[in-house]
Amino acid sequence: MNHRLAALEKKITRISGQDYEPKWFSFEQMLVFFSKLYEVGTRLRLNLYKTGRLQQKRLPCTVISVGNIMAGGAGKTPMAVCLADILTKMGRKPVVVSRGYGGGLKKAAGIVGDGQRVFMDARTAGDEPYMMAQMKAFPVVVGKDRYDAGCLALAQLDVDIVILDDGFGHLGLARDLNLVLFDHDRPLGNNRILPAGRLRETPAMSKQRIHGLILTRCPEQGGDTSIPDVLEELLGKIPFFCTCHSPYLSMFYPRKKAKISGPCSLPEDITALKGKKAFLFSGIARNDSFRKTVAQLGVKVVDHLEFKDHYRYKRADFETIGDRAKTAGADLILTTEKDWAKVDPSFVWKKDLAVINIRIQFEQARAFKAFLESRLSKDE
């Protein structure tokens, strides 16, 4: 049964990421029917909040949401990290609040890290909150109820501003600034709502709530930094900012080191990977983007084992990864920091293991900082 459900999920994920015209009585047509039901439910929920029948709760501090209207893959967590860094340099004390998707906490809120210490593992907190807490640069709190999580942060941590990671659709908590991310090259996917497409809501349903629009995966500096025509037409004149994803080598574990338990080797410049033959494994929303990023670094990808987003690895998976890397003749194994957070530290790897992470870089960093300062001054 689990195998059939996994196969069905994989099929839906593949179809929802494609452009298509559904034929009558086809599986695609069934997905379109369910997307209509999803849209009706979303519109009803939005209307209940708009008319005040459902009440928003408000925290006694500034709340900034980082989110999107597409399911997965826009770079929300790297953007939350980037925003926390910018706010810290502005003299603010941010905390990132996450739902903790895939973690073991069901209802209660919890502190993953206070900026200096980490109190939970990835299995409890979820992979992305744990990954952020490991940076020890700012506090991270998780909780299904973002208001309760925010209250916990304000009560027990020295913070003055809350960043909601993937918070756009969490309407139960009022926010002062909604930053919404769109992929520059494919901002609306196939323009269909879940499960027929990747949209959580349409631009028309969301544009009144968007304060700032951030384009991710833009061309390198000197390329096209204009807003895609489809977004300008649907959303109007919303302030927008172009960003690119800059990969870096965050960790490197040589195979001579038996376990990933002590301090790792200091990473060399990521260009040191150029020309290497690499075996990839990843379980993120867009595995293809990871493979593309690695290939652009000049690394020869000999094989790539893909898992679903937020996948919980088992020891057998690591055995399979090691065997396939050896068979493929790889020089090393590459993965993402999000996946590394769930790697069993006691597993002994027979190949060098490198971990790649992503930094968000703004094309016009000063303009974005000025935008933030302007918005924050209005809320104070």
Side-chain angles (χ1 to χ4, degrees), residues 262-279:
C264 66
S265 299
L266 291 175
E268 301 178 57
D269 188 276
I270 197 167
T271 56
L273 299 179
K274 186 175 181 179
K276 300 284 187 180
K277 293 187 291 183
F279 180 93

Side-chain angles (χ1 to χ4, degrees), residues 195-256:
R198 302 283 176 83
L199 286 172
R200 294 166 168 170
E201 54 185 280
T202 66
M205 295 157 66
S206 61
K207 70 177 184 178
Q208 297 299 325
R209 296 164 23 235
I210 300 176
H211 303 124
L213 188 155
I214 297 176
L215 300 174
T216 62
R217 298 190 178 90
C218 292
E220 295 295 328
Q221 292 191 2
D224 180 17
T225 57
S226 62
I227 187 172
D229 292 339
V230 64
L231 291 182
E232 187 168 19
E233 180 181 345
L234 294 172
L235 297 175
K237 297 295 183 178
I238 296 174
F240 78 93
F241 305 91
C242 293
T243 68
C244 63
H245 284 191
S246 178
Y248 66 96
L249 186 60
S250 64
M251 300 172 198
F252 184 80
Y253 296 96
R255 62 180 177 273
K256 294 179 181 179

Side-chain angles (χ1 to χ4, degrees), residues 179-197:
L179 300 176
V180 178
L181 280 56
F182 290 90
D183 184 283
H184 180 274
D185 295 332
R186 194 170 169 80
L188 301 176
N190 62 11
N191 288 286
R192 299 183 186 276
I193 289 181
L194 293 167

Side-chain angles (χ1 to χ4, degrees), residues 255-319:
R255 62 180 177 273
K256 294 179 181 179
K257 188 176 181 64
K259 299 179 181 179
I260 307 177
S261 54
C264 66
S265 299
L266 291 175
E268 301 178 57
D269 188 276
I270 197 167
T271 56
L273 299 179
K274 186 175 181 179
K276 300 284 187 180
K277 293 187 291 183
F279 180 93
L280 278 55
F281 75 92
S282 60
I284 57 178
R286 291 183 55 179
N287 288 306
D288 61 319
S289 69
F290 176 52
R291 182 170 58 251
K292 182 178 179 181
T293 295
V294 171
Q296 289 174 340
L297 294 172
V299 177
K300 182 179 179 182
V301 179
V302 295
D303 200 358
H304 185 186
L305 186 55
E306 301 179 31
F307 299 87
K308 68 178 183 178
D309 196 15
H310 300 290
Y311 179 76
R312 285 193 174 186
Y313 292 98
K314 299 178 286 291
R315 194 173 185 85
D317 297 320
F318 302 134
E319 296 283 0

Side-chain angles (χ1 to χ4, degrees), residues 151-172:
C151 288
L152 176 66
L154 293 172
Q156 298 191 22
L157 299 168
D158 183 19
V159 298
D160 62 9
I161 190 165
V162 169
I163 300 171
L164 299 180
D165 183 15
D166 195 9
F168 187 67
H170 189 81
L171 302 179

